[in-house]
Amino acid sequence: MPFANFKFPEGIIDAARKEEIIHRTTAMFVEYFGEGVRPYTMVLVEEVTDGGWGRADETLTLEKMGMKVR
């Protein structure tokens, strides 16, 4: 089963954008593996609380990244 897990800071993408990510990711898996994978493809789009993730031993926040919540 193809599986993709996207994580975004909470509040930066809306429902329409999440739907687009799901459709485009599914289409990519179908392109690579064939139409038979469509019913088994899972795409998970998660929102992570601001400050609830990090990289290179640094907690990241929207402020640190210069981003604004929608």
Side-chain angles (χ1 to χ4, degrees):
M1 165 171 66
F3 175 77
N5 185 353
F6 295 92
K7 295 180 187 287
F8 295 95
E10 189 173 43
I12 68 164
I13 59 172
D14 59 18
R17 188 62 125 183
K18 290 176 191 176
E19 188 171 345
E20 178 186 2
I21 291 166
I22 291 166
H23 290 310
R24 292 180 69 179
T25 302
T26 300
M28 180 192 66
F29 281 134
V30 168
E31 179 183 340
Y32 281 104
F33 302 114
E35 189 61 42
V37 302
R38 186 180 303 274
Y40 306 104
T41 297
M42 180 171 187
V43 180
L44 181 59
V45 180
E46 295 182 281
E47 292 189 76
V48 179
T49 303
D50 193 31
W53 57 294
R55 184 185 78 188
D57 200 33
E58 179 183 3
T59 301
L60 296 176
T61 64
L62 294 175
E63 182 180 353
K64 285 180 182 178
M65 296 184 327
M67 299 178 77
K68 295 182 180 181
V69 176
R70 287 186 185 245

